[in-house]
Amino acid sequence: MSEASNLPPEWTIIYHGPVSFKGRGEFLRLILEDKGVPYVNSAKNLYGPIGIMDCFRGDAKAVASLDITPFPVFFPPAIWHRPPNGEEVFINQVSACMVYIGEVLGYAPVTPAERGRAESVMANAIDYIAEGRRSFHPVKDSMSYNDQKEEGNRASKEFATKRMLLWLSHFDKVVNKFGGPKTPVAGGASVTYADFCLFHVLDATVNQFNTDFYEMAWDKADIPSLKKYYEWMKSRGNLQMYFKSDRCPPYAGDSMM
């Protein structure tokens, strides 16, 4: 065994495991897969009073009593970057992780204006999928969908016919703003973290709502440019290889996760 093989992985995605569904960790996987850099998924020591995530410690006293991570994190997903010749980074929140990965791997906006647009698109994409997820958990957000299935089915059907279409129409305008639906969404020369965020929420929409139960809501939506943008992003070479690999987890089948 070589010395290099004993080194820790440079990139680690910390999320619920084992990896049996996409969840919010998928945002991070997409940008790493597109770049073609190796990474590992980990749920090691995620939960409990001495776990690495403060939100799972149980109470404030347990949170305050233990500081064991390179930087405190509250909730997954998190990215753990251990570059061979650089500063160790350990952060959570999808948006913070995507910005950091984008900066390191070459998916960062170039100008302040492009950065502002990228941040706006990313924040809206994350808000959209969060709203969609809540429609499956209308009784209590922390309760399983299966424990509120009747109410969740009713609320998610309403979401698919109203708020979802509002969001998708907005995103359809966004992708048309700079050169049409086959161009980076923030208006720069290259794709940014915003493109991967928007693509993922569209992919989650197609998987979740383009079914008989939701009356093929994606197919019926009048968003021609957004559909072209979705297919354009989906066709990227490394993403195509990822989708066909055993590294790509399935969707859970509810909650756009």
Side-chain angles (χ1 to χ4, degrees):
M1 183 177 292
S2 69
E3 182 180 355
S5 66
N6 290 322
L7 295 174
E10 180 173 351
W11 293 96
T12 301
I13 295 173
I14 299 171
Y15 196 60
H16 306 291
V19 184
S20 58
F21 68 101
K22 290 186 183 296
R24 292 180 301 142
E26 187 70 3
F27 288 103
L28 283 57
R29 292 186 202 101
L30 288 172
I31 194 169
L32 292 170
E33 286 284 352
D34 190 80
K35 192 65 177 180
V37 299
Y39 65 93
V40 297
N41 296 285
S42 175
K44 185 178 179 181
N45 197 28
L46 197 63
Y47 311 105
I50 59 171
I52 60 176
M53 292 288 168
D54 283 348
C55 72
F56 300 137
R57 292 267 178 96
D59 56 44
K61 184 177 180 180
V63 170
S65 68
L66 196 60
D67 187 1
I68 58 172
T69 56
F71 190 79
V73 289
F74 191 76
F75 196 87
I79 192 72
W80 191 0
H81 186 208
R82 289 171 281 188
N85 299 299
E87 183 179 3
E88 182 178 19
V89 172
F90 191 87
I91 55 174
N92 77 313
Q93 287 290 349
V94 168
S95 57
C97 294
M98 294 296 282
V99 168
Y100 175 75
I101 297 170
E103 291 279 354
V104 174
L105 297 184
Y107 297 105
V110 176
T111 67
E114 185 188 356
R115 184 174 297 107
R117 290 188 291 265
E119 296 277 355
S120 176
V121 171
M122 178 171 62
N124 280 332
I126 292 170
D127 281 353
Y128 163 63
I129 200 170
E131 185 175 332
R133 180 195 175 279
R134 284 195 301 271
S135 74
F136 289 84
H137 304 261
V139 178
K140 187 177 181 180
D141 190 59
S142 61
M143 185 188 299
S144 165
Y145 160 72
N146 289 320
D147 292 334
Q148 49 188 319
K149 191 170 183 177
E150 182 178 346
E151 298 89 344
N153 285 346
R154 183 168 56 249
S156 60
K157 272 195 169 184
E158 182 177 359
F159 173 78
T161 59
K162 295 180 181 178
R163 289 286 295 178
M164 186 183 90
L165 299 181
L166 193 77
W167 277 108
L168 295 181
S169 292
H170 165 74
F171 291 135
D172 192 66
K173 283 201 306 185
V174 169
V175 300
N176 264 328
K177 198 64 178 178
F178 296 103
K182 296 185 178 182
T183 54
V185 73
S190 304
V191 295
T192 68
Y193 46 77
D195 290 286
F196 295 101
C197 286
L198 181 55
F199 168 75
H200 175 56
V201 302
L202 298 179
D203 193 56
T205 301
V206 173
N207 183 272
Q208 184 68 67
F209 294 108
N210 209 37
T211 65
D212 290 338
F213 183 79
Y214 294 103
E215 300 180 3
M216 307 304 291
W218 171 264
D219 284 348
K220 290 181 179 179
D222 185 18
I223 45 169
S225 294
L226 192 61
K227 290 175 179 177
K228 291 177 183 177
Y229 173 83
Y230 168 69
E231 294 296 337
W232 175 65
M233 282 294 295
K234 189 177 181 179
S235 70
R236 294 176 67 85
N238 279 352
L239 292 187
Q240 280 291 303
M241 288 191 290
Y242 168 59
F243 297 144
K244 296 172 184 177
S245 75
D246 58 7
R247 299 186 306 279
C248 185
Y251 281 97
D254 62 76
S255 309
M256 300 179 74
M257 294 287 111

